[in-house]
């Protein structure tokens, strides 16, 4: 293109320098006609040349303009793309910055909590030391008292008398009360020690969380996407597997919801009811009849329903959590007037070999409310379903006669896994008795509105 332009320009310049042929026409003096004619012919040739040159110039310019247009279009498309990319990068960097800030805030929060926990631990340790000192002082006082008693008794032997006898008795009483105080103190020390152990678990867990947060907060360059995926992993990693909801609570989880626990070899999901005192593992919930509880042995063994709605956690899972005892079973019931009742029973659940026998520890006599399940389970009450009659009524299969699976004794005391009846319940008694009932609360023929069964280490009950 440049050469065409240059050639055309050169041609024009040459012609201008030679003088434009038309200007010469009328400008030449008269009397020189033949020369004028030659000049005129020459001028026509020149015109042809100029016309040709101009044509070429025009074409060249047109091509140039077309090509420039295409180039301009290309450039503008590229510019648009570039602008879009810049905007996306801006957004991405904003997002990453926000994530970084959130992680940093989390790490700061965890550090604060660690600090608080360390303070609490120090206080507890001081208290424990104080108690140890008291205990030593008590021991010394005991020693002195024993000496005095010995002295008095020897005096008795030498000089028996009513006065000495009464002294000895009063000293004996004092000794007994001192003994009781010492027992109390020992118990308090043991509780403090338990608390200290729990605090230590919490501190260790928090420290590992802080460590993980720090690692997540400074990902290597170019792998920013992994920052998002690492946070949810923490809950499920084997290092973090807690044995039940209360352990999760001790590790700082305070929100109720579905968590993964691993009390035995295999992890599984549970619903945790977190209270200010601790974490309860929910093993059964009835509230709307959305789940059919009239199922066979295998279903009751494995569990069924939805953890966020109605469900039975499963005998095998309950056993894996509470097999060693030291657990308490809490039951909450409500009737159709929305009256609520709650009862707690210390329990232990045997394994498959005992037909998942429920053993309730008898601490004093059972209250009337507690007796619907407690009384028959003090020496172990096996679980029964339609296809596994382990109840205590020889001529009847309680599960088939009623509904669902339960620790049936004589069919008539309680069944929280019975049929769910909406209000009003059926009029016929033989139907109503298949419902969810608790004899010593609303009676044998009152189908209850809701029930929740949950378990936790017994220590949690002492606190509340
Ligand atoms: Ca039977």
């Amino acid at each position: 293109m440049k050469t065409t332009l240059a050639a055309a320009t050169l041609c024009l310049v040459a012609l201008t320098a030679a003088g434009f042929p038309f200007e010469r026409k009328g400008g030449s003096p008269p009397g020189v006609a033949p020369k004028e004619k030659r000049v005129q012919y020459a001028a026509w040739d020149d015109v042809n040349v100029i016309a040709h040159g101009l044509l070429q110039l025009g074409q060249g310019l047109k091509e140039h303009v077309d090509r420039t247009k295409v180039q301009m279009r290309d450039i503008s498309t590229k510019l648009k793309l570039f602008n879009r990319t810049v905007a996306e990068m801006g957004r991405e960097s904003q997002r990453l910055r926000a994530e970084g800030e959130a992680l940093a805030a989390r790490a700061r929060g965890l550090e604060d909590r660690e600090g608080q926990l360390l303070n609490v631990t120090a206080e507890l340790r001081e208290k424990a030391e104080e108690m140890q000192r008291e205990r030593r002082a008590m021991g010394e006082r005991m020693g002195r008292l024993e000496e005095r008693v010995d002295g008095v008794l020897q005096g008795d032997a030498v000089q028996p008398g009513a006065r000495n006898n009464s002294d000895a008795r009063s000293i004996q009483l004092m000794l007994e009360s001192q003994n009781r105080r010492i027992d109390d103190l020992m118990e308090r020390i043991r509780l403090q020690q338990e608390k200290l152990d729990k605090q230590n678990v919490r501190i260790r867990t928090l420290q590992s969380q802080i460590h993980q947060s720090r690692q997540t907060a400074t990902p290597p360059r170019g792998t920013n996407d992994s920052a998002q995926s690492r946070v949810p992993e923490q809950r499920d990693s084997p290092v973090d597997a807690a044995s039940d909801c209360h352990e999760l609570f001790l590790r700082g989880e305070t929100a109720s919801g579905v968590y993964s626990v691993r009390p035995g070899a295999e992890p599984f999901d549970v619903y945790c009811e977190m209270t200010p005192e601790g974490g309860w593992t929910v093993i059964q919930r009835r509230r709307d009849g959305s789940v059919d509880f009239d199922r066979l042995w295998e279903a009751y063994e494995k569990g069924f329903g939805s953890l966020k709605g109605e469900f039975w956690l499963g005998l095998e899972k309950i056993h894996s959590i509470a097999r060693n005892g030291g657990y308490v079973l809490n039951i909450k019931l409500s009737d159709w007037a929305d009256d609520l009742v709650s009862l707690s029973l210390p329990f232990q659940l045997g394994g498959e070999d005992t037909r998942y026998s429920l053993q309730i520890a008898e601490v004093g006599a059972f209250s009337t409310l507690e007796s619907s399940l407690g009384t028959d389970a003090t020496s172990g009450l096996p679980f029964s379903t339609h296809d596994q009659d382990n109840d205590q009524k020889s001529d009847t299969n309680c599960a088939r006669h009623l509904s669902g699976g339960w620790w049936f004794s004589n069919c008539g005391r309680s069944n929280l896994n019975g049929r769910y009846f909406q209000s009003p319940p059926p009029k016929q008694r033989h139907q109503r008795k298949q419902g969810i009932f608790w004899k010593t609360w609303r009676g044998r023929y009152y189908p209850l509105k809701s029930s929740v069964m949950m378990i936790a280490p017994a220590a949690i009950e002492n606190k509340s």
Side-chain angles (χ1 to χ4, degrees):
M1 176 63 206
K2 272 181 187 167
T3 41
T4 325
L5 268 174
T9 318
L10 245 162
C11 188
L12 272 173
V13 169
L15 283 168
T16 319
F20 210 71
F22 289 112
E23 282 172 9
R24 288 193 194 169
K25 211 181 175 179
S28 51
V32 280
K35 199 184 173 187
E36 195 177 82
K37 187 151 188 159
R38 197 169 45 81
V39 170
Q40 199 174 12
Y41 289 139
W44 277 116
D45 290 343
D46 289 348
V47 168
N48 274 337
V49 170
I50 291 166
H52 186 69
L54 282 171
L55 205 66
Q56 273 188 335
L57 180 64
Q59 267 172 350
L61 278 169
K62 189 172 171 290
E63 283 168 16
H64 180 62
V65 167
D66 288 347
R67 269 199 291 274
T68 312
K69 271 186 188 164
V70 171
Q71 280 171 354
M72 288 294 285
R73 263 202 301 278
D74 275 1
I75 289 168
S76 106
T77 314
K78 279 177 188 161
L79 264 174
K80 271 184 204 155
L81 261 170
F82 179 71
N83 282 343
R84 245 202 316 274
T85 318
V86 166
E88 274 167 17
M89 281 169 73
R91 275 197 298 277
E92 183 68 8
S93 82
Q94 244 167 1
R95 190 179 66 77
L96 288 172
R97 198 175 304 131
E99 270 174 21
E101 277 164 11
L103 280 167
R106 213 180 145 201
R108 272 198 301 280
L110 284 170
E111 271 170 15
D112 288 350
R113 282 175 71 179
E114 189 198 5
Q116 286 167 3
L117 277 173
L118 284 172
N119 287 344
V120 172
T121 312
E123 275 172 31
L124 284 171
R125 197 166 291 137
E126 267 175 33
K127 270 191 187 171
E129 277 166 12
E130 201 178 297
M131 285 192 170
Q132 293 277 11
R133 278 198 298 277
E134 271 186 47
R135 196 184 151 205
R136 272 198 296 279
M138 273 301 171
E140 283 164 18
R141 282 180 69 184
M142 281 285 291
R144 281 200 296 276
L145 279 167
E146 270 169 16
E147 276 169 26
R148 275 181 67 188
V149 171
D150 283 349
V152 167
L153 288 176
Q154 276 164 14
D156 261 5
V158 177
Q159 203 176 33
R163 190 172 162 273
N164 279 347
N165 269 337
S166 75
D167 277 357
R169 242 198 321 281
S170 68
I171 287 168
Q172 213 163 359
L173 286 175
M174 269 174 72
L175 273 176
E176 276 165 15
S177 80
Q178 294 289 9
N179 273 339
R180 273 198 298 279
R181 274 191 71 186
I182 286 172
D183 287 347
D184 275 2
L185 278 170
M186 292 298 287
E187 180 60 19
R188 280 168 69 184
I189 287 170
R190 194 185 61 74
L191 285 174
Q192 295 286 3
Q193 193 62 46
E194 261 178 26
K195 271 189 182 172
L196 268 176
D197 291 346
K198 281 172 188 165
Q199 296 287 5
N200 278 336
V201 172
R202 278 175 89 167
I203 287 169
R204 272 202 303 280
T205 315
L206 283 171
Q207 276 170 341
S208 82
Q209 279 179 356
I210 288 170
H211 184 65
Q212 279 184 0
S213 287
R214 279 194 183 132
Q215 278 183 337
T216 321
T218 53
R221 275 193 166 277
T223 57
N224 289 324
D225 288 349
S226 64
Q228 268 183 321
S229 57
R230 251 185 251 173
V231 178
E233 270 172 24
Q234 288 178 10
R235 183 168 288 174
D236 295 331
S237 66
V239 183
D240 278 347
S243 62
D244 71 350
C245 292
H246 190 55
E247 199 176 324
L248 285 164
F249 173 83
L250 293 177
R251 292 179 179 192
E253 301 286 359
T254 52
S256 297
V258 177
Y259 292 86
S260 179
V261 295
R262 195 164 71 172
E266 290 299 315
F268 54 86
D269 283 353
V270 290
Y271 188 92
C272 293
E273 189 71 47
M274 301 299 192
T275 67
E277 290 77 33
W280 291 88
T281 308
V282 182
I283 62 167
Q284 187 253 30
R285 194 191 285 128
R286 310 291 303 272
R287 61 181 179 200
D288 51 21
S290 58
V291 171
D292 179 14
F293 272 62
D294 199 14
R295 302 193 188 216
L296 301 180
W297 183 262
E298 200 187 337
Y300 272 95
E301 191 168 38
K302 301 269 176 284
F304 55 82
S306 154
L307 286 178
K308 287 183 175 170
E310 293 199 326
F311 68 92
W312 174 256
L313 183 62
L315 292 163
E316 193 51 54
K317 291 172 188 164
I318 304 170
H319 165 68
S320 72
I321 294 173
R323 62 176 174 263
N324 294 326
Y327 264 72
V328 63
L329 167 67
N330 177 258
I331 298 176
K332 285 182 168 52
L333 307 169
S334 82
D335 65 13
W336 292 92
D338 285 329
D339 278 339
L340 296 168
V341 77
S342 169
L343 61 135
S344 290
L345 296 162
F347 85 108
Q348 183 176 342
L349 190 68
E352 207 269 330
D353 53 324
T354 72
R355 315 270 83 191
Y356 300 104
S357 278
L358 178 74
Q359 187 156 2
I360 304 245
E362 194 171 5
V363 185
F366 290 112
S367 70
T368 310
L369 187 65
E370 292 164 352
S371 66
S372 281
L373 186 60
T375 312
D376 295 322
T378 49
S379 52
L381 191 58
F383 201 83
S384 293
T385 54
H386 286 209
D387 53 340
Q388 292 257 1
D389 179 1
N390 303 311
D391 59 48
Q392 293 176 340
K393 198 157 182 174
S394 57
D395 58 342
T396 312
N397 178 332
C398 293
R400 191 171 295 162
H401 185 58
L402 303 175
S403 180
W406 190 245
W407 294 279
F408 289 111
S409 54
N410 68 350
C411 309
R413 289 188 191 274
S414 61
N415 177 16
L416 299 183
N417 290 335
R419 280 175 69 185
Y420 192 92
F421 290 119
Q422 304 286 350
S423 183
K427 288 202 175 81
Q428 289 79 16
R429 279 184 147 212
H430 72 271
Q431 275 187 298
R432 260 201 332 255
K433 73 179 180 186
Q434 295 187 330
I436 303 169
F437 71 92
W438 194 265
K439 190 181 178 186
T440 53
W441 187 43
R442 284 291 175 260
R444 173 72 186 80
Y445 296 97
Y446 186 106
L448 297 171
K449 185 183 180 186
S450 75
S451 93
V452 179
M453 298 170 68
M454 48 196 198
I455 60 175
I460 193 178
E461 278 280 299
N462 299 334
K463 284 195 211 164
S464 51

